[in-house]
Amino acid sequence: MTARAELLPTRIFAAALLSMALLVGALAGLKPPLAIALVLGLIFVTVTLANLTAGVCIFAVLSFLDTVLPGGGSLSAPKLIGLMLMLSWLAIMTAGDREQRERFFSHPGFLFVLVLFVSWALISATWAEHPGAAIETFTRYLPNAFLFLIVFAAVRTRNQLLWVVGAFVVGAFLSGIYGLLVPPPAADIGRLAGAGGDPNETAAAMVAGLALATALGIAARGRPLVRTACWVAGVICMLALFLTSSRGGLISLAVALLTAVALGGRRRGTMLIAAFGAVLVTVFYFATIAPDAVRERVTHPEGGTGRVDIWKVGWRMVQHNTIEGVGAGNFQTSSIHYLLEPGKLVRADFIVDTPKVAHNTYLQVLAELGVIGFALFITILGFSLVCAYKAHKVAAETGDRELDIIARATVVALIALYAAYFFVSRDYGKQLWLLLALAPVMLDIARRELRERVSEAEGPALDPGRL
């Protein structure tokens, strides 16, 4: 009986492998893309269960490759990856040791805000015109919110933090390379869309990737190969940003440069020179290299993209549904009801014929979830920004150059995304939520290393709790 019992897990595992092999074989004959997605998913789950940090790194890279990954519709690859990462975390936390289970999260009060935000999105289905859209939006918010717990469990050391930040940069680099190699659609004046599929969204991601690539390059002392790779990634991000011809992306770049100068500290002069150089490069490109159509689009924003008209309708939705909103994911469905009101609209077709999203993350959240959901969303954004800034302050006061640079770059990247999202709806963008989740981890690592230094010194030092 004992020998038979010992063989049981092995037999179950072998049977599971055989069943999975048969399933993959059948799918390969019927739907090859689905079979490829299943194999990649199994590899992802296996790697994540073995090493959660590696799973987060893979997720960081794949978050930039939406249009490249197989799948689509309600079961798109990004959704499945987020779901698998969440289930892997649950399995690890359930079967892990006691110490691992106790490392749940360092800010339990903030978890209450996350739960309220996700719950409010789900509850909004009860009054939404299209409840299914609200429920689908909930299924997109939930894995993103879980990233705070997943990243906190996966990233516990400085090296793990650097690996995840590096994976973010690799993802931005691959998206930029994909956009450079794959010809953009001629109908959109040749604007680079990258692997994300949208020029404006790609531009925002490129600015964040540029900030983090620059930081890794500066922090990589004594590692010339890493530094060179970071500079190359930064150049690709900058070039891809220009080729998107995104006005929002250029505004995001300007905000990022101003933030970097403001956080420069003793190196503010150097940062000012670098920012001035970036501005010169940008002006030179659009003045001499960019095609006439691109230059016209960037220098004359009144070209009629319809964004202002969509904003007008969105604000009407806010005025009529101030507290509760029209329901998560219902902006496109409900916008037509607010078309026939005083005020001229140039592009009514974006409301009637092909309903568009708000093209403004904050307006979208405010219109769909009301002031309650909007306040919770802004609290989430503010919490992570404050955490990243505090991590910079702790690292700066203790002389931790590497962590200080990464924390400053995270602040720059977050503020750049916040600025870019005034012109695009990305309230459940994977890059945004990954950086949001990294911020409290940085603060926890900075404070923990400070406590360790204080303990080793056995003398009076800084109080990490007040920073």
Side-chain angles (χ1 to χ4, degrees), residues 203-223:
M206 290 302 104
V207 176
L210 173 63
L212 293 176
T214 303
L216 284 177
I218 296 174
R221 276 183 174 177
R223 290 170 287 181

Side-chain angles (χ1 to χ4, degrees), residues 86-169:
M86 185 172 65
L87 293 177
S88 299
W89 174 83
L90 287 171
I92 292 173
M93 294 301 293
T94 302
D97 54 29
R98 180 179 178 183
E99 182 182 357
Q100 194 171 32
R101 289 195 299 269
E102 289 177 349
R103 290 201 311 260
F104 193 70
F105 197 67
S106 58
H107 301 83
F110 174 71
L111 290 182
F112 182 66
V113 174
L114 275 179
V115 171
L116 283 179
F117 176 72
V118 176
S119 300
W120 185 252
L122 179 61
I123 293 171
S124 70
T126 59
W127 62 76
E129 180 180 356
H130 191 331
I135 294 174
E136 182 182 355
T137 299
F138 162 77
T139 64
R140 302 185 72 173
Y141 279 139
L142 183 61
N144 288 341
F146 252 96
L147 278 176
F148 280 92
L149 301 178
I150 294 168
V151 173
F152 193 82
V155 182
R156 304 303 304 156
T157 67
R158 177 191 300 263
N159 286 336
Q160 290 172 338
L161 173 64
L162 293 176
W163 274 106
V164 175
V165 173
F168 189 97
V169 172

Side-chain angles (χ1 to χ4, degrees), residues 425-441:
S425 293
R426 289 287 287 171
D427 42 315
Y428 28 68
K430 295 292 187 292
Q431 296 96 11
L432 170 66
W433 285 88
L434 181 59
L435 289 182
L436 291 176
L438 273 177
V441 170

